[in-house]
Every structure is written in structure tokens, then in C-alpha cells.
């Protein structure tokens, strides 16, 4: 047994004791801790630790960071002021606490198992966390700091602010509140949530005193004095509205500043895209006031869902250098791998699995975790025994893996907030690829191009589904704006929610429109036309278009491409009676190319397994 601080490392039972309480540790974190405790007071390099714990296996060094984070959480250690594990940047770690031989508390009759602490991991955000941490010395010197943290749904805004709050030790008061969709009419909703959490925290006494002295009216809706039982005042409710009118933002600023004079205060207000105007005004006041305060305010929001008032506030404060902005972008591939490794508790991952999830999630951590859980729930990712590595099921097929239900529902909810006309526009766009031109939307909906383009433009400004992505020059020299779905999953949900017949109509209209736009040069776009005819199940026209595309390829001496197109057309002709007339001519052409290949036995043309991604317009 080794003792450090109030902990005893029990090497016989591979656990940790604190007093008479036993803390269960997973084998790897235990092994890491044991190695550190066995080698106190010296630098243990990353390589040394990796060699000792994973001999003969290549393991990403980032994995060590995950374990250190987990151990620090269990030990209640702080990376900024380590009592146990010190990080020596770019080199390794040092166990800084004195270690003695010890024994677990005597008189212990039966160990009390404490569940292993579930670790909230944060991967791939070192730079962003460092950026937020960099504000702290300024805050400690009395300079207030307001940070607008932006990013799309699930990108990790809450996870990052959680990590920041975790680092704030007991000397820093933390108040957190969150806006809720549908409660935009409830005045100061997130502020009251933050204050009520603060009042219940170890800093509660000081917070209540500051409020009682400088902003007593705020104690009423907090429920401290009973009246409104913690509810925010509601616009339209005369009694509660009266309470709301009495809440003086200036008084609250003064109370928070008094609190922040005694020690640093971190105020986190989340999801401001759903904030009421009064909350935004309070943020504005906190940012603009000049009195010294050890105050850090972090507000989070989804930029593409932000309404005018929030955009204006952000813009004004940025212009006056009264706030900073940190925009979260998708995780890198290596961070997604690390996240998957943490989730699966497995260091090395199948490259095919990692590549598939990264491609589908596009680096969004929420999507990454949802897709992973979906694969497990579908039995497509399996673990034979608890200790065995995770592996892909033999019938795993990327094209049929589907989208996790929770993501479909999340996207559906957002879609339903749009008007019926806007929904139709997006659905029409999904018939193309992740990017789509306005002319194709107009064609699919049989509408006029200019009018459709204006509607798309408005939609791109209003909803976060699509962004304007440039312009397409049409053969007649006119321009058509180009849009892109902000995530491939949005497009898939929109594609799937349309009935097959409506989709087919849209595809045929797009193919016909392509033919009109390129009249006289149809062969140039025959390949794209074929894709739309095939997607519509219009086999004869599909096979004909493929043949035209093959002829065009031959003219360009692209023989291999021509052969591939003819083979595809032949498969259609062989499997669909309506296209059989094409078969003879196709075989002759293939023969002429001397690359005639009969389809492999048993190889069937399964149109229903095709994913919409294959429908791309170059
Ligand atoms: N860097 C990260 N490392 C590990 N897990 C992460 C990371 N970022 C996010 N996650 C996980 O992904 C999920 C979504 O993250 P989070 O809730 O922080 O997103 P968000 O940006 O706050 O989304 P929303 O706009 O919906 O509030 C959570 O389960 C979170 O724990
Ligand atoms: Mg969040």
C-alpha cells in the first residue's frame, strides 16, 4: 500500500482508498496511477509511460491525457495548481506529492464501494481551453472579460464551459444558467437559474448578502422570500410581469461586482439564441460597465440560429472591444479518434470504423457519439466479450447504416419550425448533393427560377440548414446561386422525409432541366442526367443517358470511363424490362470497346441501397 495525501493506493486489490471508502478504478487508470506513485518526484516522459504500460503496442500519446484527466478528477486535483500530478508540457508528468508506505484505515470491516467516477472527457479543445484560461489572469487583476462562445448544435460549447468551470477551484465562484427554447418570454430565465445555483453553492452566503444589500428585488423571483417560487417573471402574466419590471439590471450588476470584488466570479449563460431581451440587456450592461471586477462572463450561442438582437449585441460589443469571440469548429480527425477511443474504452480503433464515423459526423462530437451508439444499438459494432476489442459486424454496410433516431428527431424538430414552402425548398435541394444550385430547386418544384432563388437566399439568412456557397454559371451565361447544407445529415433527413413519388418527380424535372440548359450539348451532362433518371426509377431514360455519356467519354478518349458507363447501362437494361430495348446496342458498343464483361453471377443492381450522396452534379 502506498499513501499520498489522504489516499492509499491498494496494489493488492488494485483500487484506491480514501478513509474507509474504496474507489474503484479501471485497470488502465489504475496502472497509470501506480506507475506515477511508484516513481514520485521525477519526470516521467510520455515515452516512458507508454513503454511501461503498453509495451509493443502503438498507442496515441493523447490517450495519456485522457487518463490524467480522469485521475485528476478522482483525486480532486487541479492541473493549474497540482497537488498530485503535474504536467510538464511537451515532456511528461511528475507525481509531486510525497509518497509513504501506508495502510488503508484500520477497523474497516467491509469496504464501501464508491462507483468509479464517470469522466467527462474533453478532446481536441486544448487550444480553446487555453484561450479561455488566458483570460483568468486579467480577470484576477480586476479586468472584466466577456467571451462570446459560438458554434453549431452539438459542437461542444457546453462541454468546453464545463471544463472551464471544473478548473475553477473553490476560490472562484461559478454561476451557470441556460436559456430554453419556448421560454423566450420568461424574463431573465437563465440569469435567475445562474443566481439560484450560485446561492446554493459554497459562495451562496456571500452571493445572498450582496443581493440583499444591492439588489434585494432579485431575491423575490429566486424564491428566497417565497413569492414566485423561483419562476422567472413571464411577459403577459400581469403579476409576474410586475415582479419582472421591478428587477433592476443595474442593481444586479452592482451586486455581482461586489461579489467579484471579493474573489473571481465566472458567469456562464448558455444558448443565448433563445434568450429574452432583458437577459441580453444585462449581458450588455455587464460588458460595458467600467468598474473593476474580477468577473468573467462566457455566453454561448448557435450563430446561425441567432436572432437580430443577439447579433446586434455581439456586433456592438466586438466593435467596442468590449468582448472577445471564440468560435468552435468541428473536431479534427485525430480528436474524433480520441473521442471514439474514450467512448469505447479501447486505445486502437479499426481504421474503417474511424473513417466512417468521421466522414458522417464531419467532426461534430454530438453526432460522433450518436453515430457510435447507433452502430452499437443496431448490432453493427460488436464486442464479443467485455474484454474483447470492438469489431464491425460482417453485415456492416456504410450505405445502409442509417442515421441515429435522435439525430433524425433533432433535425425534424428544426425542420418543422420552417414554413411548408421553406421545407419544400430544402427537400428539393436535397435531391442534388450536399451542395445545390437554385435553378435545380426551381426545376424540381416546377417554379420560376428568380423567385426560387430569392426564397433560397432568405432561407439561408434565416435557417442554419443551408449556407450560400457561391454561384453557378449556366451555359447561357446567366448566374444561379449555389447553396450548401451545413451538415450532410441535414440533407439526408430532408431527402428521406419525402415520399418516393415526389422525389422521383423532382429528379425527372431536374434531369429534363439539365437537358434544356445544355440543349445541343446534352452529352456533356448526360452522366448527371442519368443519375437523376436512375434515382427516379426511370430506367429507359437512365440507360439512354448513360449511353450518351459513354459516347461523349469515347470522344474524349476516356475508354475506361466509357466502358464503366456502358456496363452500368447494361446492368439497368438487364434488370428492368422497360430498358431492354437498349441492351443490344449497348452490348455492341461494349464489344467495340473490347472490354465487354458480363455482370458477375449473383451481382444484382440494388437501387434501393444507393445513398443520395451519389447524386452529385459537377
Ligand atoms: N471536445 C469534446 N470532447 C469530448 N466530448 C465532447 C466534446 N465536445 C462535445 N462533447 C460531447 O458531445 C455532446 C454535445 O456537446 P455539447 O452539449 O457541449 O454541445 P453544444 O455545443 O453545447 O450543443 P448545443 O448547441 O445543443 O447546446 C456532449 O455529449 C458532450 O459531452
Ligand atoms: Mg450546450
Amino acid at each position: 500500500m502506498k499513501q499520498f495525501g489522504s489516499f492509499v493506493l491498494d496494489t493488492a486489490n488494485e483500487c484506491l482508498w480514501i478513509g474507509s471508502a474504496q474507489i474503484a478504478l479501471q485497470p488502465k487508470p489504475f496502472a497509470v496511477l501506480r506507475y506515477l506513485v511508484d516513481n514520485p518526484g521525477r519526470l516521467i516522459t510520455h515515452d516512458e509511460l507508454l513503454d511501461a504500460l503498453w509495451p509493443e503496442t502503438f498507442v496515441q500519446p493523447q490517450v495519456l491525457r485522457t487518463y490524467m484527466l480522469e485521475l485528476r478528477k478522482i483525486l480532486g486535483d487541479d492541473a493549474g495548481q497540482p497537488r498530485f500530478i503535474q504536467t510538464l508540457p511537451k515532456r511528461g508528468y511528475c507525481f509531486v506529492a510525497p509518497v509513504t508506505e501506508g495502510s488503508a484505515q484500520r477497523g474497516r470491516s467491509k469496504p464501501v464501494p464508491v462507483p468509479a467516477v464517470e469522466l467527462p472527457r474533453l478532446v481536441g479543445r486544448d487550444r480553446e481551453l487555453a484561450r479561455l484560461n488566458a483570460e483568468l489572469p486579467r480577470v484576477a487583476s480586476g479586468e472584466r472579460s466577456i467571451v462570446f462562445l459560438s458554434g453549431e448544435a452539438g459542437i461542444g460549447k457546453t462541454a468546453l464551459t464545463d471544463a472551464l468551470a471544473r478548473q475553477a477551484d473553490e476560490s472562484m465562484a461559478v454561476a451557470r444558467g441556460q436559456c430554453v427554447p419556448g421560454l423566450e418570454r420568461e424574463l431573465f430565465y437563465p440569469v435567475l437559474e445562474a443566481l439560484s445555483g450560485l446561492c446554493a453553492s459554497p459562495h451562496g452566503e456571500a452571493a445572498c448578502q450582496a443581493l440583499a444589500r444591492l439588489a434585494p428585488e432579485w431575491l423575490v423571483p429566486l424564491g428566497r422570500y417565497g413569492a414566485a417560487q423561483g419562476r422567472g417573471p413571464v411577459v403577459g402574466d400581469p403579476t409576474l410581469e410586475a415582479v419582472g419590471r421591478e428587477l433592476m439590471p443595474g442593481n444586479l450588476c452592482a451586486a455581482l461586482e461586489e461579489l467579484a470584488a471579493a474573489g473571481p466570479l465566472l458567469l456562464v449563460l448558455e444558448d443565448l439564441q433563445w434568450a429574452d431581451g432583458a437577459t441580453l440587456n444585462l449581458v450588455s450592461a455587464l460588458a460595458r460597465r467600467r468598474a473593476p471586477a474580477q468577473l468573467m462572463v462566457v455566453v454561448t450561442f448557435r450563430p446561425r440560429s441567432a436572432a437580430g438582437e443577439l447579433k446586434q449585441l455581439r456586433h456592438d460589443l466586438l466593435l467596442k472591444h468590449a468582448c472577445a469571440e471564440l468560435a468552435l469548429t468541428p473536431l479534427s480527425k485525430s480528436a474524433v479518434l480520441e473521442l471514439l477511443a474514450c467512448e469505447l474504452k479501447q486505445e486502437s480503433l479499426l481504421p474503417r470504423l474511424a473513417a466512417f464515423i468521421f466522414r458522417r459526423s464531419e467532426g461534430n462530437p454530438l453526432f460522433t457519439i450518436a453515430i457510435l451508439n447507433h452502430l452499437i444499438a443496431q448490432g453493427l459494432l460488436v464486442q464479443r466479450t467485455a474484454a474483447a476489442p470492438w469489431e464491425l459486424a460482417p453485415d456492416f454496410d456504410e450505405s445502409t447504416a442509417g442515421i441515429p433516431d435522435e439525430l433524425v428527431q433533432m433535425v425534424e424538430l428544426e425542420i418543422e419550425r420552417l414554413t411548408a414552402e421553406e421545407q419544400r425548398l430544402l427537400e428539393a435541394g436535397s435531391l442534388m448533393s450536399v451542395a445545390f444550385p437554385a435553378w435545380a430547386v426551381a426545376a424540381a418544384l416546377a417554379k420560376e427560377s428568380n423567385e426560387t432563388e430569392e426564397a433560397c437566399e432568405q432561407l439561408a439568412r434565416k435557417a442554419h440548414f443551408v449556407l450560400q456557397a457561391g454561384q453557378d454559371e449556366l451555359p447561357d451565361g446567366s448566374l444561379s446561386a449555389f447553396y450548401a447544407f451545413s451538415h450532410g445529415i441535414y440533407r439526408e433527413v430532408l431527402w428521406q422525409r419525402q415520399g418516393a413519388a415526389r422525389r422521383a418527380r423532382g429528379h425527372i424535372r431536374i434531369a429534363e432541366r439539365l437537358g434544356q440548359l445544355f440543349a445541343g450539348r446534352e452529352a456533356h451532362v448526360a452522366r448527371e442526367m442519368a443519375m437523376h433518371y436512375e434515382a427516379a426509377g426511370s430506367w429507359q431514360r437512365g440507360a439512354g443517358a448513360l449511353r450518351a455519356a459513354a459516347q461523349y467519354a469515347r470522344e474524349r478518349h476516356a475508354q475506361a470511363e466509357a466502358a464503366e458507363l456502358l456496363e452500368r447501362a447494361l446492368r439497368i437494361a438487364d434488370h428492368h424490362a422497360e430498358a431492354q430495348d437498349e441492351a443490344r446496342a449497348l452490348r455492341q458498343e461494349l464489344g467495340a470497346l473490347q472490354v465487354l464483361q458480363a455482370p458477375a453471377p449473383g451481382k444484382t443492381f440494388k437501387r434501393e441501397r444507393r445513398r443520395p450522396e451519389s447524386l452529385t452534379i459537377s
Side-chain angles (χ1 to χ4, degrees), residues 30-31 51 92 123 194 331 350 442-443 547-548 616 618:
F30 175 82
D51 288 347
V123 303
L331 294 177
L350 295 168
R547 205 167 124 210
T616 52
S618 56

Side-chain angles (χ1 to χ4, degrees), residues 122-460:
L122 186 76
V123 303
R125 295 292 188 214
D126 290 354
R127 197 181 57 79
E128 291 81 357
L129 196 54
R131 170 73 190 77
L132 292 177
N133 277 325
E135 297 289 304
L136 296 178
R138 277 190 25 217
V139 170
S141 73
E143 206 178 316
R144 65 185 72 201
S145 156
I146 316 289
V147 180
F148 276 65
L149 177 63
S150 64
E152 286 318 309
I155 203 77
K157 301 178 292 295
T158 301
L160 184 61
T161 54
D162 279 350
L164 179 70
R166 268 202 305 277
Q167 286 182 1
D169 57 19
E170 287 190 356
S171 65
M172 188 160 185
V174 180
R176 308 193 56 150
Q178 185 173 7
C179 306
V180 177
L183 295 189
E184 294 90 340
R185 288 163 63 81
E186 214 159 305
L187 298 180
F188 296 115
Y189 179 88
V191 181
L192 288 166
E193 189 193 359
L195 290 178
S196 115
L198 182 63
C199 288
S201 77
H203 299 267
E205 196 57 46
C208 287
Q209 276 173 17
L211 288 172
R213 233 170 54 72
L214 295 163
E217 76 279 9
W218 283 84
L219 292 171
V220 177
L222 278 176
R224 297 254 135 192
Y225 294 146
Q229 295 302 328
R231 275 200 73 192
V234 178
V235 180
D237 177 326
T239 321
L240 291 177
E241 226 182 286
V243 174
R245 270 198 303 276
E246 278 165 21
L247 293 178
M248 307 297 278
N251 289 354
L252 181 61
C253 289
L256 292 177
E257 283 159 10
E258 180 172 283
L259 196 60
L265 168 64
L266 170 64
L267 172 62
V268 180
L269 296 176
E270 286 230 65
D271 299 323
L272 282 205
Q273 70 275 6
W274 297 311
D276 56 287
T279 296
L280 295 179
N281 289 340
L282 179 77
V283 172
S284 172
L286 285 172
R288 289 169 206 265
R289 284 165 69 106
R290 310 292 295 266
Q294 298 179 60
L295 176 64
M296 179 164 182
V297 181
V298 179
V299 298
T300 71
F301 68 104
R302 299 179 186 171
R304 286 200 284 268
S305 308
E309 220 179 329
L310 171 59
K311 281 189 187 156
Q312 187 68 47
L313 169 65
R314 176 190 149 273
H315 180 255
D316 289 352
L317 294 181
L318 280 173
L319 214 62
K320 294 192 167 59
H321 303 287
C323 76
E325 180 159 58
L326 182 56
L328 290 187
T329 50
L331 294 177
S332 64
K333 187 165 184 183
S334 62
V336 167
L337 290 190
E338 201 183 331
L339 179 55
L340 292 172
C342 286
E343 288 290 313
L344 294 175
K345 299 191 173 44
Q346 179 176 311
E347 281 107 33
S348 58
L349 287 175
L350 295 168
R352 186 174 166 214
L353 170 72
F356 169 70
I357 296 188
F358 180 64
R359 207 172 38 253
R360 293 219 85 190
S361 69
E362 298 177 20
N364 181 305
L366 175 76
F367 291 9
T368 300
I369 296 170
I371 294 167
L372 180 70
N373 291 337
H374 175 72
L375 291 182
I376 295 172
Q378 300 286 306
L380 295 172
L381 183 62
V382 288
Q383 194 181 29
R384 293 188 196 287
T385 65
W390 288 90
E391 48 189 83
L392 287 168
D395 58 342
F396 170 76
D397 177 348
E398 294 190 8
S399 64
T400 53
I403 310 174
D405 282 350
E406 69 249 51
L407 293 189
V408 174
Q409 280 158 20
M410 187 185 105
V411 177
E412 280 286 354
L413 279 175
E414 294 182 54
I415 295 172
E416 276 157 24
R417 290 204 193 106
L418 302 174
T419 64
E421 194 204 347
E422 289 166 340
Q423 294 180 22
R424 297 295 94 80
L425 281 181
L426 290 172
E427 286 162 0
S430 76
L431 299 177
M432 297 293 281
S433 74
V434 169
F436 60 90
W439 68 256
V441 174
L445 297 174
K447 289 205 162 170
E448 207 268 310
S449 265
N450 288 346
E451 192 188 299
T452 307
E453 185 154 338
E454 272 169 35
C456 287
E457 217 173 281
Q458 273 177 19
L459 191 55

